[in-house]
Amino acid sequence: MDNNISKLFMAHYTLSFTLTLFVLFSLSQSSAANILPIINPVSPSTICKFTPFPNFCKSMLPTTENVTSNNNVYDYGRFSVHKSLSSAHKFHSLIQKYLRQSKILRIIDIRALEDCQVLAELNIDYLSSTFKTVNETSKILPILEAEDVQTLLSAILTNTQTCLDGLQETDFPWSLRNGILTPLIDDKKLYSVSLALFIKGWVPNKKKRSKSHPITQKQSAFRNGHLPLKMTARNRAIFESISRRKLLQQQDDDQDLEDDDQVLVSDIVIVNQDGSGNFSTINEAVAAAPNKTDGTTGHFLIYINAGVYEEYVHISKNKKYLMMIGDGINQTIITGNHSYGVDNFTTYNSSTFAVHGQGFVAVNITFQNTAGAINHQAVAVRNSADLSTFYSCRFEGYQDTLYVHSLRQFYRECDIYGTVDFIFGNAAAVFQNCNLYPRLPLEKQFNAITAQGRTDPNQNTGISIQNCTINPADDLRFSNSSTQTYLGRPWKEYSRTIYAQNFIDGFINPLGWKEWTGDFALNTSYYAEFNNTGPGSNTSDRVTWPGFHVINATDAANFTVSEFLLGEDWLPRTGVPYFKA
């Protein structure tokens, strides 16, 4: 949040509650009256019916007669987002207060609080951006802008849930527990109301928004192939000059190249452990990258020579539009072994590699967490970067290998190894042409490829697996184990996962999907399969949950790059191949 906006909000906090409401609603009503069409007034009771928590919504919205008599959905939405921002600031201050009591806390408790601190800071940023948008207009937004804000509000809920999960999994001291968990649970409801009101007021009607077309035979012919990778001769020469080969190879040398399809590089640094590059560690190169770039001048390229890099890499929210290119899978390796519980890490901060910076791209790199199955949750990569891309990468771990935490993500031609819930999180994530390899877990464990974490029906999140190959890893294939492997299980109440046009080998349990516990989320989750092949793709014996569906081509198209990620707006600039439908 810039200084001007920060000062504005701090000024708001010094006002009385009534004056804050008056200023906020006077501004919104003036904007609507002078610039935009008149919007019909609506009561809090009526508008709250469109939220997941109607009673909480009514208790939160203002009720003074002279403030609410002419309010509409935009007034309530602005109020809710503003109140959410205020609550996020208060929670951040509360976390700092608890961290000052570190003498009575265990290491894992402190780390859980530190996770919450980072997540609260992200929420403040996202809510500041959201408030700026909703305070400028009282009308339906263009599709791309509406999607951006809905994505941020979805991520705010995810961040809050992650903080909550981390505190609950650490057995936070009872003497402090209620003081932090109660406001956190209330904040989660408040953010849910804000998301619902934003969708009601600013997001295009789903029927108007949808440009979905059924996946056609022509489109499915891209299976196991590549769309041409468009790159200028200049950029191709840059890649070749630092790697002595075509790292990103153009598939069709005769095609016309458009400016919009160029891969722009603003600067290049080289990492080599022998000291012959600009840096000998990845973290040094990341620290040297510019802060808060907008991507218009291209990616800051970090080329990482072959080697095993025993580093815990964290790319902060300020390090935007970084591109990392390695010498290839199993040549450039980033490795670590942190794990939950045993080493006093939360699941969230057990990752070897973590990225928040928008527009991140990784190519030709292996990411590992070598803690092993015995140490349970151990994340290789945690991705919280919006508009991020991993191409021709490998992810190795056991439980919780790849944490697709939040925002919009794309994975192409990647190899992913793991056991329990090894692709999990609450991003909007699409996987194309990847290889998924369930491994041999601990005795009496089962494998679940996915554990999607959607907690709210209005979040635009889910895991979409398209045109991938699902085979057992060699240790599972050649074992005598009776291990059962499932396509996924519902980690959270509105878990959403789609498998479309994949090859599924016969080791998948015929039921396909595994419950989390009892009947939790079996009615509210959304699991779908479309046009998969292979001996494990037969759906005749699948679970009979209300949340499971065998879908048609039109429904499947809603979870493709063009629809689910609006990827045609941002993927071309990465140079990574993809098919849009």
Side-chain angles (χ1 to χ4, degrees):
M1 179 167 57
D2 63 46
N3 289 335
N4 291 333
I5 295 175
S6 178
K7 291 177 181 177
L8 175 63
F9 289 137
M10 291 307 296
H12 280 174
Y13 302 147
T14 63
L15 300 175
S16 68
F17 182 68
T18 303
L19 183 57
T20 300
L21 292 180
F22 176 80
V23 171
L24 186 61
F25 281 97
S26 294
L27 174 62
S28 62
Q29 289 173 353
S30 173
S31 298
N34 295 332
I35 301 173
L36 302 160
I38 296 174
I39 306 298
N40 292 331
V42 63
S43 69
S45 296
T46 299
I47 199 65
C48 285
K49 292 177 182 178
F50 296 98
T51 74
F53 302 101
N55 290 334
F56 177 86
C57 174
K58 285 187 289 185
S59 71
M60 176 270 297
L61 291 178
T63 57
T64 304
E65 182 65 25
N66 64 348
V67 174
T68 63
S69 59
N70 294 313
N71 287 337
N72 55 53
V73 62
Y74 298 105
D75 298 321
Y76 294 126
R78 272 186 286 271
F79 173 81
S80 182
V81 171
H82 186 270
K83 187 174 179 65
S84 294
L85 180 59
S86 176
S87 293
H89 276 288
K90 290 176 183 176
F91 184 74
H92 184 260
S93 297
L94 183 64
I95 291 294
Q96 292 177 312
K97 173 186 173 183
Y98 276 74
L99 283 171
R100 288 193 290 269
Q101 304 178 33
S102 59
K103 290 182 180 179
I104 64 173
L105 299 174
R106 300 167 301 167
I107 292 175
I108 193 169
D109 298 327
I110 294 171
R111 285 177 172 159
L113 286 171
E114 289 173 341
D115 292 348
C116 290
Q117 185 176 34
V118 170
L119 294 162
E121 289 169 357
L122 290 171
N123 282 355
I124 290 170
D125 285 352
Y126 298 164
L127 284 163
S128 298
S129 177
T130 297
F131 183 75
K132 184 176 185 296
T133 299
V134 300
N135 203 42
E136 289 176 348
T137 183
S138 294
K139 63 180 181 180
I140 299 294
L141 292 171
I143 289 173
L144 289 175
E145 191 173 359
E147 189 76 11
D148 286 345
V149 177
Q150 187 177 355
T151 296
L152 292 180
L153 289 169
S154 295
I156 289 162
L157 276 168
T158 301
N159 291 341
T160 307
Q161 184 65 50
T162 302
C163 172
L164 187 62
D165 288 343
L167 293 172
Q168 289 175 332
E169 72 183 11
T170 63
D171 292 327
F172 202 67
W174 280 104
S175 60
L176 305 176
R177 195 175 184 87
N178 289 340
I180 195 167
L181 291 184
T182 298
L184 188 60
I185 291 169
D186 285 344
D187 284 352
K188 184 183 170 188
K189 292 179 181 178
L190 176 58
Y191 302 152
S192 178
V193 169
S194 293
L195 174 58
L197 294 179
F198 174 78
I199 290 173
K200 182 65 178 173
W202 284 271
V203 174
N205 183 281
K206 290 298 180 183
K207 293 181 180 179
K208 294 179 183 177
R209 176 186 181 277
S210 178
K211 298 180 293 181
S212 297
H213 302 287
I215 297 178
T216 65
Q217 199 64 35
K218 179 180 179 181
Q219 289 163 336
S220 64
F222 284 124
R223 297 187 60 175
N224 300 320
H226 300 261
L227 286 183
L229 174 60
K230 299 177 180 179
M231 181 174 296
T232 65
R234 173 181 174 274
N235 283 307
R236 193 162 62 250
I238 288 174
F239 288 127
E240 290 176 9
S241 69
I242 62 172
S243 67
R244 298 174 298 280
R245 62 189 175 86
K246 294 182 180 180
L247 296 174
L248 298 174
Q249 187 174 21
Q250 183 182 348
Q251 299 294 312
D252 183 358
D253 291 331
D254 295 328
Q255 68 179 348
D256 293 328
L257 293 169
E258 301 293 339
D259 289 342
D260 289 343
D261 296 317
Q262 295 178 7
V263 179
L264 298 179
V265 176
S266 62
D267 201 358
I268 299 172
V269 295
I270 300 174
V271 178
N272 202 329
Q273 290 174 318
D274 65 10
S276 63
N278 302 97
F279 303 99
S280 58
T281 70
I282 299 168
N283 279 307
E284 289 173 331
V286 171
N291 292 324
K292 298 183 179 180
T293 58
D294 61 8
T296 55
T297 59
H299 287 82
F300 182 87
L301 174 57
I302 301 173
Y303 181 77
I304 309 171
N305 274 276
V308 178
Y309 295 81
E310 297 182 6
E311 298 187 51
Y312 295 94
V313 179
H314 178 265
I315 300 173
S316 70
K317 63 184 180 181
N318 292 331
K319 302 293 183 179
K320 297 182 178 181
Y321 294 97
L322 295 190
M323 178 179 284
M324 287 186 176
I325 299 180
D327 263 336
I329 288 176
N330 290 338
Q331 298 298 311
T332 297
I333 301 171
I334 304 174
T335 187
N337 62 2
H338 289 168
S339 63
Y340 162 70
V342 175
D343 297 324
N344 286 315
F345 291 96
T346 63
T347 300
Y348 181 82
N349 62 36
S350 70
S351 56
T352 301
F353 188 95
V355 55
H356 286 105
Q358 179 175 309
F360 177 78
V361 180
V363 183
N364 291 347
I365 300 173
T366 291
F367 302 91
Q368 296 178 337
N369 190 312
T370 61
I374 192 67
N375 285 322
H376 301 283
Q377 295 101 309
V379 176
V381 168
R382 185 187 78 238
N383 186 3
S384 304
D386 199 21
L387 311 180
S388 56
T389 307
F390 286 78
Y391 174 47
S392 188
C393 289
R394 179 165 171 158
F395 305 86
E396 295 180 3
Y398 286 85
Q399 184 170 347
D400 291 357
T401 302
L402 176 57
Y403 195 171
V404 291
H405 180 261
S406 56
L407 302 168
R408 291 165 288 194
Q409 309 176 11
F410 180 63
Y411 299 81
R412 173 79 179 202
E413 295 172 37
C414 293
D415 299 334
I416 309 168
Y417 290 78
T419 56
V420 182
D421 307 334
F422 68 91
I423 301 173
F424 76 112
N426 195 26
V430 174
F431 295 80
Q432 280 186 358
N433 290 36
C434 294
N435 296 304
L436 311 184
Y437 293 110
R439 306 174 84 165
L440 183 66
L442 295 175
E443 188 176 355
K444 297 183 181 180
Q445 279 189 330
F446 60 86
N447 288 331
I449 295 174
T450 64
Q452 207 281 325
R454 188 165 167 255
T455 61
D456 190 287
N458 290 313
Q459 287 179 304
N460 56 354
T461 56
I463 293 173
S464 177
I465 297 173
Q466 184 182 13
N467 195 36
C468 295
T469 300
I470 303 164
N471 283 314
D474 286 347
D475 60 350
L476 180 60
R477 182 187 296 275
F478 298 115
S479 73
N480 294 320
S481 170
S482 59
T483 296
Q484 299 298 303
T485 300
Y486 300 88
L487 298 174
R489 59 180 184 149
W491 181 29
K492 301 297 181 183
E493 188 173 2
Y494 295 94
S495 179
R496 181 162 65 176
T497 303
I498 298 89
Y499 284 81
Q501 300 175 307
N502 305 284
F503 174 84
I504 304 176
D505 205 359
F507 72 112
I508 295 294
N509 186 294
L511 290 173
W513 305 86
K514 177 75 171 174
E515 68 279 356
W516 186 268
T517 179
D519 61 358
F520 171 74
L522 303 189
N523 295 330
T524 52
S525 58
Y526 182 87
Y527 289 127
E529 297 181 49
F530 166 71
N531 202 26
N532 297 298
T533 61
S537 67
N538 190 329
T539 59
S540 60
D541 293 323
R542 288 294 195 250
V543 294
T544 57
W545 309 338
F548 173 72
H549 310 273
V550 177
I551 58 176
N552 60 29
T554 300
D555 291 334
N558 290 317
F559 301 98
T560 57
V561 161
S562 61
E563 286 296 315
F564 199 46
L565 300 181
L566 300 186
E568 292 175 86
D569 184 61
W570 57 275
L571 273 173
R573 76 190 69 161
T574 70
V576 171
Y578 67 93
F579 47 89
K580 62 183 181 180

